[in-house]
Amino acid sequence: MSPTAVAPASEAKGVNDLKSAVSEGTESTQKNGKDVHGEEVEGDDDDGEEDVGGEAAGTGDAKKKKKKKKPKKKKAEQSDPPRVGLSKLFPSGIYPEGELQPYKDDNAYRLTSEEKRYNEKLMNEDPETTYNDIRRAAEVHRQVRQRTRNFIKPGMAMTDIANYIEDGTRALVEAEGLQSGIGFPTGLSLNHCAAHYTPNAGDTTVLKQGDVLKVDFGVHVNGRIVDSAFTLAFDHTYDKLVEAVKAATETGVREAGIDVRLGELAGYIQETMESYEVEVNGKVLPVKPIANLSGHSINKYQIHGGKSVMLVKNDDDTKMEEGEYFAIETFGSTGRGRMFSLCQTSRCPSCAAKASLHPYEKRNLLTVDLRLNSAKSLLKTINKEFGTLPFCRRYLDRAGESKYLLALNNLVNQGIVQDYPPLCDQLGSMTAQFEHTILLRPTQKEIVSRGDDY
Ligand code: HZT
Ligand code: MN
Ligand code: MN
């Protein structure tokens, strides 16, 4: 990020467009009767699709007689499954802010500081650093996950859930090349698996009533990635586990801020998590923060920006800084509280024969001389389709690649592509996750992915 860079002349028009759009924004949003998250303030069920295509769609007169109510302008609203692009729902092009939290203590002054407010205004008006992109990605995330929550039911195949989320994301974000689209492969980790499981083609795993599912998906606009996750459980046994992790993530979000030390922040997260216990089959189990998982900073087109927020107190005195984006995520477990990437394959029902199901991420490396022609050609596809964004096998399939496993393994072995295998605790334990993307604005903290659900 280069907040002080002068916009080249060719971009000047873009800046002005954005400025005028900003001043129109709030007003038209209110006129449309939307709340801060762009949802309809009041339900309006009578403007469904039943007229479409009926008797030559009728002339205006015929229609008026049929519908006795005053002819209301049809309000744009999200469909189910979600397919309405956000530009239809937000004609102003301005997307709602997330939740705002002031900084604390020594940084409380920032909220009213003239200098900080001015810096922030400049950031927002520069297309390179504008907050509007991440807010658009966040609005897509909220709408997709709201529909997803109602869609997911025991008995469904994981593949169908992944497709529901990803097709919805592509439609709402109006995916276009590397300008906007999926931020990273949808994580659908089950039970003792906490992260980085995504189905490959042919996966036959079906969601069960007793499962605890982590839904972790990403949306990006111009490389600004929203990384946010929640946990679904259908039985009540694990309610306390889910509550613990939700609270721990809230602690992380609340205590995060400019100049906050990462090791200390981890301590607050740990404290909240460990204040919970869960009773399973008459046995009381402590909720443990998963010690080797972490939140992370996020850069443009880079899901991990280099800083990590662990979940257990440590002496990392690295500070969070103005302008940084962070994914604040916490994981709790009823097991050992440690992740293993080589899940005891055959004994693990959800990992069996799936050791290679994982998102891949191209490392931002210099081009390497590749001896294998198939690897060369695959890398070309990866560069074109994903750039530095993480991907998975399903995305290679839909990009038209086939029989690429040897080439892919070759790229992984050479260190050109990094793999992220599923991360699991011991079999029989349960894990939960909640995650928000936050933005450390100069004046205040913005929880961009906040919704009315979490
Ligand atoms: C890697 C690959 C992806 C980043 C965290 C995470 C899901 O565990 C530094 C700290 C998506 C994300 C990531 F496809 N990871 N957030 N959501 N996974 S991570 C990490 O690799 S790197 C944590
Ligand atoms: Mn995530
Ligand atoms: Mn993350």
Side-chain angles (χ1 to χ4, degrees):
M1 210 188 311
S2 51
T4 54
V6 177
S10 63
E11 278 177 15
K13 190 180 175 293
V15 175
N16 287 332
D17 287 351
L18 193 60
K19 273 184 201 162
S20 53
V22 168
S23 51
E24 289 158 19
T26 7
E27 211 191 341
S28 69
T29 306
Q30 284 162 356
K31 263 190 232 155
N32 287 340
K34 311 259 175 150
D35 69 8
V36 71
H37 291 137
E39 314 273 16
E40 300 293 342
V41 171
E42 266 179 32
D44 185 12
D45 298 326
D46 63 353
D47 61 357
E49 323 265 42
E50 72 266 20
D51 307 327
V52 178
E55 16 147 44
T59 56
D61 283 342
K63 225 176 171 184
K64 255 180 229 162
K65 268 175 209 160
K66 204 169 139 196
K67 272 197 174 181
K68 279 161 200 157
K69 285 179 213 164
K70 59 182 174 190
K72 235 191 311 175
K73 204 173 165 186
K74 206 170 189 172
K75 262 188 260 172
E77 75 181 67
Q78 192 47 261
S79 61
D80 191 7
R83 292 292 181 270
V84 181
L86 281 220
S87 65
K88 300 265 186 318
L89 302 179
F90 294 85
S92 69
I94 301 302
Y95 295 91
E97 273 184 328
E99 185 202 355
L100 301 175
Q101 286 181 9
Y103 295 120
K104 298 194 275 197
D105 309 323
D106 284 357
N107 277 303
Y109 79 96
R110 287 172 170 269
L111 192 59
T112 51
S113 158
E114 278 303 321
E115 188 201 334
K116 299 300 175 194
R117 289 164 65 130
Y118 182 70
N119 286 349
E120 193 166 277
K121 187 174 177 301
L122 289 185
M123 295 268 284
N124 201 25
E125 286 170 358
D126 182 346
E128 258 310 296
T129 51
T130 181
Y131 308 130
N132 200 43
D133 288 343
I134 191 101
R135 289 173 188 156
R136 182 172 138 213
E139 182 59 28
V140 169
H141 200 286
R142 276 189 290 273
Q143 294 197 13
V144 169
R145 79 195 191 215
Q146 194 241 36
R147 294 294 195 262
T148 299
R149 245 177 217 287
N150 299 329
F151 172 78
I152 296 181
K153 285 176 188 69
M156 281 179 178
M158 304 311 280
T159 300
D160 294 335
I161 299 172
N163 286 335
Y164 185 92
I165 293 170
E166 293 173 357
D167 290 345
T169 296
R170 288 190 191 97
L172 271 55
V173 79
E174 298 162 303
E176 216 187 301
L178 289 174
Q179 276 156 39
S180 62
I182 289 169
F184 55 83
T186 304
L188 292 172
S189 305
L190 288 169
N191 307 331
H192 65 298
C193 296
H196 296 174
Y197 163 75
T198 197
N200 286 336
D203 187 305
T204 55
T205 310
V206 167
L207 185 63
K208 297 186 299 299
Q209 175 73 25
D211 284 343
V212 177
L213 173 67
K214 278 68 65 180
V215 179
D216 189 345
F217 69 101
V219 187
H220 89 91
V221 171
N222 291 320
R224 296 292 176 198
I225 308 165
V226 164
D227 179 2
S228 179
F230 58 98
T231 297
L232 286 182
F234 307 96
D235 286 346
H236 291 296
T237 314
Y238 294 100
D239 283 358
K240 280 286 165 204
L241 173 67
V242 173
E243 197 185 311
V245 179
K246 198 176 200 173
T249 296
E250 279 310 308
T251 296
V253 164
R254 189 181 61 245
E255 299 301 326
I258 293 168
D259 299 332
V260 169
R261 291 180 198 279
L262 299 176
E264 260 173 63
L265 181 55
Y268 300 129
I269 291 170
Q270 175 181 16
E271 201 178 317
T272 299
M273 191 83 78
E274 289 178 348
S275 70
Y276 287 80
E277 45 194 26
V278 50
E279 195 184 316
V280 181
N281 299 327
K283 239 183 120 182
V284 176
L285 306 170
V287 177
K288 296 182 188 164
I290 298 180
N292 53 342
L293 286 182
S294 63
H296 48 100
S297 57
I298 305 178
N299 296 338
K300 226 177 179 188
Y301 291 106
Q302 226 184 354
I303 187 64
H304 52 84
K307 292 187 182 178
S308 294
V309 185
M310 307 307 292
L311 312 183
V312 173
K313 189 176 169 63
N314 60 83
D315 56 15
D316 184 353
D317 60 6
T318 311
K319 288 176 174 175
M320 293 179 146
E321 293 171 57
E322 178 178 311
E324 286 181 325
Y325 291 69
F326 274 90
I328 301 294
E329 60 191 299
T330 79
F331 297 82
S333 176
T334 62
R336 295 169 57 174
R338 287 200 74 81
M339 291 290 107
F340 304 89
S341 53
L342 288 172
C343 191
Q344 320 95 311
T345 40
S346 64
R347 300 202 314 117
C348 166
S350 92
C351 295
K354 288 176 198 153
S356 55
L357 297 198
H358 44 244
Y360 294 87
E361 183 197 19
K362 192 185 77 65
R363 281 210 192 147
N364 206 355
L365 284 185
L366 30 146
T367 321
V368 178
D369 195 33
L370 291 167
R371 276 180 293 170
L372 203 62
N373 270 321
S374 59
K376 219 183 275 184
S377 136
L378 183 65
L379 184 57
K380 223 174 132 187
T381 301
I382 292 169
N383 280 325
K384 176 172 167 282
E385 299 279 335
F386 318 114
T388 54
L389 293 169
F391 59 96
C392 61
R393 288 203 219 158
R394 284 179 294 108
Y395 301 176
L396 291 174
D397 299 337
R398 68 192 300 284
E401 289 288 331
S402 61
K403 300 187 194 145
Y404 48 73
L405 278 185
L406 178 80
L408 186 54
N409 286 328
N410 183 268
L411 292 174
V412 171
N413 291 336
Q414 288 193 75
I416 296 166
V417 165
Q418 171 160 16
D419 67 344
Y420 293 89
L423 298 170
C424 308
D425 203 330
Q426 71 200 131
L427 191 54
S429 65
M430 282 294 183
T431 64
Q433 175 201 19
F434 280 90
E435 178 172 28
H436 273 301
T437 296
I438 68 169
L439 168 46
L440 301 179
R441 283 167 49 178
T443 64
Q444 55 192 327
K445 179 166 52 186
E446 180 171 343
I447 300 106
V448 278
S449 53
R450 177 73 77 202
D452 53 20
D453 48 354
Y454 69 93

